[in-house]
Amino acid sequence: VGNELAQIYGGNNCIISSSTTSIRPSKLIKKMKANSANLIVSHPVNPPMAIPLIEICPHPNTKKDMIAKTRQIMINIGLKPCVMKKEASGFVLNRLQYGLLQAAY
């Protein structure tokens, strides 16, 4: 899918973003033939209307301008982006949220 999106929507300038909950971006790019440096994960907290936080997770080769553009888009739509410095299994926000839910019940 990433290959098709990059081809259709602008190639090198296209941000390819996934909201996957548990797949690292470095795994998502394995089958991409082109523009894998444009892929990034934008993972929202649920429910996003109550918690406007979004986790931005690049892979080691994501272009810096793709990270900056993604962050700015999230700010423009009213979300509070948190850019991860490295990938983490299950993402940081999921793990924090599950810990809070376990403590509550």
Side-chain angles (χ1 to χ4, degrees):
V1 173
N3 290 323
E4 293 172 21
L5 288 173
Q7 228 173 18
I8 295 169
Y9 295 106
N12 291 330
N13 297 319
C14 176
I15 298 170
I16 304 167
S17 185
S18 171
S19 64
T20 180
T21 299
S22 60
I23 303 171
R24 292 178 180 209
S26 58
K27 187 172 182 178
L28 291 172
I29 64 167
K30 286 188 177 182
K31 293 186 179 180
M32 288 183 71
K33 296 176 182 149
N35 301 312
S36 63
N38 296 11
L39 186 126
I40 196 163
V41 170
S42 303
H43 179 255
V45 177
N46 284 315
M49 57 283 217
I51 308 169
L53 187 61
I54 189 155
E55 189 172 31
I56 298 173
C57 183
H59 60 84
N61 297 319
T62 301
K63 293 179 191 172
K64 300 293 182 215
D65 67 319
M66 292 294 146
I67 299 168
K69 286 178 186 178
T70 302
R71 184 179 179 281
Q72 189 58 53
I73 289 168
M74 298 307 157
I75 291 169
N76 291 348
I77 62 172
L79 297 176
K80 306 289 184 197
C82 174
V83 179
M84 294 179 61
K85 293 186 180 188
K86 65 178 188 173
E87 297 175 302
S89 294
F91 300 107
V92 175
L93 296 174
N94 278 353
R95 292 187 290 170
L96 290 172
Q97 193 171 31
Y98 291 138
L100 290 171
L101 289 172
Q102 276 186 320
Y105 296 101

